[in-house]
Amino acid sequence: MLKQYRLRDYNFRLVLWVLALSVIGILLVGSAKASLQPRQTIGVIAGAVMMIIVSMFDFSWILNFYWILYVLNLGMLAAVLVFGNSSHGAQRWISIGGFTFQPAELSKIILIIFFAQYFMKHENDLNKPKIFIRSVLLIILPLALIIAQPDLKDTIIIFLLFAIMYFIAGLSLKTIGIILAIVIPAAVIFLFAVTQTDSSGNGLLKSYQRQRIMAFLNPNDSEYSDDSTQQDNSVIAIGSGELSGKGLNNSDVSSANKGNFISEIQTDFIFAVAGEELGFLGSAGIIILLLLIALECILTAMKAKNLSGTLICCGMAALISLQSFINIGVATKILPNTGTPLPFVSYGLTSLLSNFLGIGLVLNVSLQGKIRVTPRAARRKKTAL
């Protein structure tokens, strides 16, 4: 459970990158919507404390409860559909007392933990049809509950996390080839079907989801102008910051931030605030910090004491990378509009705390990887054998 570690073995680089990015997030959220800055600050402080506490727990002990966590996760996702709060046509939040959280965000961390242990348990038979089918069924259950909210982007992110972790665990190239031979044509057929229906859709997607895809594919079509305007304004805002930006909390009435040209700018389009107010240098700094965090997770994975530790670290690296790519891709209009937070930067306490929890696990994997067996411990182990 709890273990004592040497302070010099602690990965202070990873902590520094995470805290630096979180402080930038506090500043940007405050600039986007000043009333939310105190809550973001409290979230960062609480997240940092939780990260340190979790890093002291032996991750192998936590993994003992992987089935309990999996069932708990299904329960939370099912509760959203029964008791959840609705907003903007989606039912994704649960309120407990005065606290509202989004179970799908926490689900990403829980599923990383679950499949890290599950794949290690079946390390030698991952490519057997029985284990493959069982693994797919285990990921389909939470995905079905998430897409029913509806939450297509988190469904896609979690599926990609599952695929990446399965590949790293040892999925054979032959199996991957078979999967791609099925998935790629299916995706093309799906996209064709979506584009050939009218605005009411055909049951494949919600009408607003189809509108976003069509706006991305047909940016000059007046029918979809309302859906593309957000991204157009975001691109203009990022470009207006030029090299060094207009400065935080600037009073420029033409800014996308102060002029309210972009909605949800404190979450989905926080990168537009960064581009406008911090310029190219500040935006590049955010991307570099995200890259450094992902690289630290990968380096830790390479030194992990077992496969489950490797999968936890690679899962967190993939999660941070995927969400960063999607958020920045939407803000720069290289991807369809979808609400994905920028890790440690966007406002959203569930996402923020979940990411801190995941980094805490990575920190413990790092500490476990650096544990040295003392001669006395080695003699005790030899005697026990």
Side-chain angles (χ1 to χ4, degrees):
M1 190 176 172
L2 280 170
K3 286 191 175 183
Q4 290 185 345
Y5 304 100
R6 296 180 300 184
L7 186 63
R8 66 182 182 182
D9 287 339
Y10 211 80
N11 191 344
F12 289 105
R13 288 191 310 276
L14 179 56
V15 175
L16 177 62
W17 307 145
V18 168
L19 293 181
L21 191 60
S22 300
V23 170
I24 293 173
I26 291 173
L27 296 174
L28 291 176
V29 168
S31 183
K33 197 168 185 179
S35 61
L36 297 178
Q37 190 173 48
R39 295 189 66 183
Q40 186 77 357
T41 304
I42 293 172
V44 169
I45 294 172
V49 171
M50 183 174 66
M51 175 182 70
I52 300 301
I53 293 174
V54 171
S55 71
M56 295 293 107
F57 280 80
D58 185 348
F59 77 91
S60 297
W61 177 81
I62 295 174
L63 293 178
N64 289 329
F65 306 98
Y66 72 116
W67 276 111
I68 295 175
L69 291 171
Y70 181 81
V71 173
L72 177 64
N73 181 48
L74 292 181
M76 288 192 303
L77 294 174
V80 173
L81 302 179
V82 180
F83 309 108
N85 302 331
S86 297
S87 178
H88 301 291
Q91 190 169 328
R92 303 173 185 170
W93 297 267
I94 293 179
S95 294
I96 301 177
F99 181 70
T100 301
F101 73 102
Q102 189 175 354
E105 292 294 337
L106 183 59
S107 179
K108 298 169 187 174
I109 307 300
I110 292 177
L111 289 174
I112 287 174
I113 294 172
F114 174 79
F115 282 108
Q117 181 71 349
Y118 183 81
F119 287 150
M120 189 180 77
K121 290 280 187 180
H122 300 281
E123 184 176 1
N124 296 321
D125 50 5
L126 286 172
N127 291 290
K128 291 182 178 179
K130 177 182 177 181
I131 299 301
F132 179 78
I133 293 172
R134 187 184 299 170
S135 300
V136 172
L137 290 175
L138 286 170
I139 194 62
I140 283 177
L141 286 175
L143 290 183
L145 293 171
I146 292 172
I147 201 169
Q149 296 178 2
D151 190 350
L152 180 61
K153 48 91 178 176
D154 277 337
T155 303
I156 294 173
I157 288 173
I158 291 174
F159 176 77
L160 290 175
L161 279 176
F162 167 78
I164 291 169
M165 291 180 67
Y166 207 154
F167 170 72
I168 294 171
L171 189 64
S172 69
L173 293 176
K174 179 182 177 181
T175 305
I176 294 172
I178 295 172
I179 294 170
L180 291 177
I182 297 171
V183 170
I184 292 176
V188 172
I189 294 171
F190 174 81
L191 186 61
F192 178 78
V194 169
T195 57
Q196 296 303 308
T197 57
D198 57 25
S199 59
S200 62
N202 58 1
L204 295 175
L205 292 174
K206 297 292 184 180
S207 59
Y208 75 90
Q209 294 171 334
R210 179 187 178 277
Q211 287 290 107
R212 289 178 175 180
I213 293 174
M214 295 302 292
F216 176 74
L217 296 175
N218 304 279
N220 298 319
D221 193 328
S222 59
E223 181 182 353
Y224 311 110
S225 59
D226 291 342
D227 293 275
S228 61
T229 299
Q230 286 270 77
Q231 289 181 285
D232 290 335
N233 290 340
S234 174
V235 172
I236 293 171
I238 293 170
S240 69
E242 298 182 343
L243 181 63
S244 57
K246 300 176 180 177
L248 288 168
N249 294 303
N250 70 83
S251 57
D252 190 343
V253 293
S254 66
S255 72
N257 185 9
K258 305 303 179 184
N260 295 319
F261 298 122
I262 304 175
S263 62
E264 304 299 333
I265 199 164
Q266 74 277 7
T267 53
D268 305 344
F269 287 93
I270 195 70
F271 195 75
V273 182
E276 184 176 70
E277 301 193 349
L278 302 180
F280 172 79
L281 295 177
S283 301
I286 289 173
I287 294 173
I288 290 171
L289 284 172
L290 288 165
L291 176 61
L292 289 172
I293 292 170
L295 286 176
E296 285 292 340
C297 291
I298 293 171
L299 291 173
T300 301
M302 295 170 65
K303 302 174 183 177
K305 69 177 184 179
N306 56 28
L307 179 61
S308 62
T310 296
L311 292 176
I312 286 173
C313 296
C314 289
M316 281 305 301
L319 177 60
I320 291 168
S321 300
L322 286 170
Q323 294 200 158
S324 300
F325 175 74
I326 293 173
N327 181 278
I328 296 173
V330 169
T332 54
K333 208 178 179 181
I334 64 173
L335 292 175
N337 189 2
T338 181
T340 300
L342 188 61
F344 302 106
V345 180
S346 292
Y347 175 76
L349 298 186
T350 310
S351 173
L352 183 65
L353 294 175
S354 297
N355 286 328
F356 270 112
L357 173 62
I359 294 298
L361 291 171
V362 174
L363 287 170
N364 185 261
V365 173
S366 177
L367 288 170
Q368 293 283 331
K370 291 182 178 180
I371 290 178
R372 301 289 183 265
V373 179
T374 64
R376 182 178 179 182
R379 286 195 299 269
R380 281 204 301 265
K381 184 177 180 181
K382 185 176 180 181
T383 302
L385 294 174

